[in-house]
């Protein structure tokens, strides 16, 4: 295993939807908000500085959602980075409501999703959202109706591409009958692999797979990675991200943080190359 300091370009590139290239190590903007993913960050200036640091590190894929804050994450991204540099891809999501800190409830009625998209466009100061994702299926709303709303948004030019989040194989199949799906965002990490079958389907179809909680909320350090992270300046978190990048050519990890130091460490994982025996050991850590 060898590691050097790199920008996100070292992770390689994936082209979403055949026309939207991104560096494969992105940034998840959930944790730049307040405690419980609620309200403004405790250090607003620090959050803005962290977002601007992304550009220095050549991270050109940022994932957020209207429910992060709610609204605060999208507003901070626009405040820090608009007018956006060329090539920056911002992905956002609609479909979850926030009754309070740490609480999430689905509401994927078509009329609401369309309204959420319009509001995200205003907050992000965009004419079209590069990647708009259904945040979760809603058991109270027929799945085809929710996806149909996103298809309409695409037809109207309000979104460039459509993605899904928190879905299974059957959801993916049904959605693809309605609109081209360019990405799936599910919980996945070296220690949490319930979505392995979905990842494999994405790889076969050339669909981007965006692992959320790619560091398993920090628990990866306790699951056998420390021994592999024995080189100088290599952490278990970096090993976990490197494994995701090497495990499949369609993975787009989006580690999130409110710390600039952790951001730098995460992006440095783009330059980490695991040996075959190390990959094999990590493959055995968990079974989906």
């Amino acid at each position: 295993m060898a590691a050097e300091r790199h920008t996100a370009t070292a992770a390689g590139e994936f082209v979403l939807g055949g026309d939207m290239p991104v560096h494969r190590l992105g940034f998840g903007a959930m944790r730049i908000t307040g405690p419980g993913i609620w309200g403004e960050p405790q250090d607003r200036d620090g959050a803005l500085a962290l977002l601007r640091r992304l550009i220095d590190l050549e991270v050109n894929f940022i994932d957020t959602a209207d429910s992060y804050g709610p609204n605060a994450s999208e507003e901070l991204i626009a405040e820090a980075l608009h007018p956006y540099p060329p090539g920056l891809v911002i992905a956002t999501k609609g479909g979850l409501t926030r009754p309070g800190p740490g609480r999430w409830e689905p509401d994927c009625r078509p009329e609401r999703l369309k309204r959420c998209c319009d509001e995200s466009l205003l907050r992000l100061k965009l004419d079209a959202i590069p990647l708009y994702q259904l945040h979760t299926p809603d058991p109270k709303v027929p799945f085809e109706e929710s996806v149909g709303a996103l298809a309409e948004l695409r037809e109207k030019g309000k979104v460039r591409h459509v993605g899904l989040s928190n879905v299974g194989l059957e959801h993916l199949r049904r959605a693809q009958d309605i609109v081209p799906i360019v990405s799936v965002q599910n919980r996945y990490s070296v220690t949490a692999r319930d979505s392995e079958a979905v990842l494999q389907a994405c790889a076969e179809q050339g669909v981007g797979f965006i692992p959320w909680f790619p560091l398993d909320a920090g628990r990866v350090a306790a699951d056998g990675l420390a021994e592999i992270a024995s080189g100088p300046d290599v952490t278990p978190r970096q090993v976990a991200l490197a494994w995701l990048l090497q495990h499949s050519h369609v993975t787009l990890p989006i580690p999130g943080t409110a710390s600039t130091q952790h951001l730098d460490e995460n992006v440095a994982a783009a330059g980490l190359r695991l040996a075959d025996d190390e990959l094999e050991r990590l493959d055995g850590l968990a079974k989906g």
Side-chain angles (χ1 to χ4, degrees):
M1 177 177 60
E4 299 177 19
R5 289 295 172 184
H6 286 283
T7 65
T9 58
E13 188 175 87
F14 184 84
V15 183
L16 286 161
D19 63 357
M20 199 161 65
V22 295
H23 300 146
R24 288 183 58 215
L25 191 63
F27 177 73
M30 181 175 73
R31 298 190 180 280
I32 61 172
T33 61
I37 321 301
W38 186 262
E40 292 290 318
Q42 294 175 327
D43 179 3
R44 184 181 182 85
D45 289 341
L48 295 172
L50 182 144
L51 288 166
R52 293 174 182 131
R53 176 67 175 156
L54 294 173
I55 307 306
D56 295 336
L57 295 172
E58 298 186 84
V59 174
N60 67 351
F61 181 54
I62 300 175
D63 178 82
T64 185
D66 60 5
S67 57
Y68 298 165
N71 307 336
S73 178
E74 292 181 334
E75 292 168 350
L76 287 164
I77 289 168
E79 181 177 346
L81 300 177
H82 191 272
Y84 301 114
L88 179 65
V89 172
I90 297 175
T92 193
K93 300 180 284 292
L96 285 177
T97 63
R98 300 299 309 282
R103 297 176 61 193
W104 312 77
E105 294 181 3
D107 185 348
C108 297
R109 292 169 296 153
E111 63 273 18
R112 181 178 182 275
L113 289 171
K114 293 173 186 177
R115 184 174 69 251
C116 288
C117 179
D118 287 341
E119 292 171 353
S120 288
L121 283 166
L122 290 174
R123 283 189 294 270
L124 290 167
K125 301 180 181 179
L126 288 168
D127 296 323
I129 294 171
L131 174 59
Y132 195 67
Q133 305 157 94
L134 182 69
H135 209 150
T136 187
D138 184 344
K140 301 184 300 297
V141 179
F143 182 67
E144 282 77 6
E145 291 185 10
S146 299
V147 176
L150 272 59
E152 289 183 35
L153 291 168
R154 180 175 175 268
E155 291 171 2
K156 292 180 179 179
K158 293 184 178 183
V159 307
R160 184 171 173 181
H161 290 296
V162 172
L164 303 174
S165 183
N166 299 306
V167 296
L169 285 173
E170 182 65 12
H171 290 115
L172 177 58
R173 184 193 65 77
R174 289 159 60 189
Q176 288 170 323
D177 288 340
I178 299 169
V179 66
I181 300 298
V182 307
S183 66
V184 173
Q185 182 173 160
N186 279 7
R187 180 170 183 168
Y188 187 82
S189 70
V190 68
T191 52
R193 305 199 203 157
D194 291 345
S195 287
E196 190 72 42
V198 177
L199 169 58
Q200 294 305 316
C202 288
E204 292 169 4
Q205 300 170 30
V207 172
F209 184 87
I210 306 168
W212 64 265
F213 267 20
L215 298 173
D216 204 8
R219 286 184 286 274
V220 294
D223 285 281
L225 282 80
E227 184 178 346
I228 291 177
S230 58
D233 302 320
V234 178
T235 69
R237 296 163 60 95
Q238 290 172 324
V239 171
L241 291 171
W243 178 85
L244 282 170
L245 290 168
Q246 290 180 245
H247 183 62
S248 172
H249 66 285
V250 301
T251 52
L252 304 169
I254 49 167
T257 182
S259 161
T260 300
Q261 177 184 346
H262 285 162
L263 172 64
D264 288 357
E265 291 175 359
N266 290 342
V267 173
L272 182 62
R273 297 293 178 264
L274 300 172
D276 289 345
D277 65 316
E278 293 170 330
L279 289 171
E280 185 175 350
R281 288 163 60 190
L282 292 173
D283 286 343
L285 278 185
K287 300 298 181 183

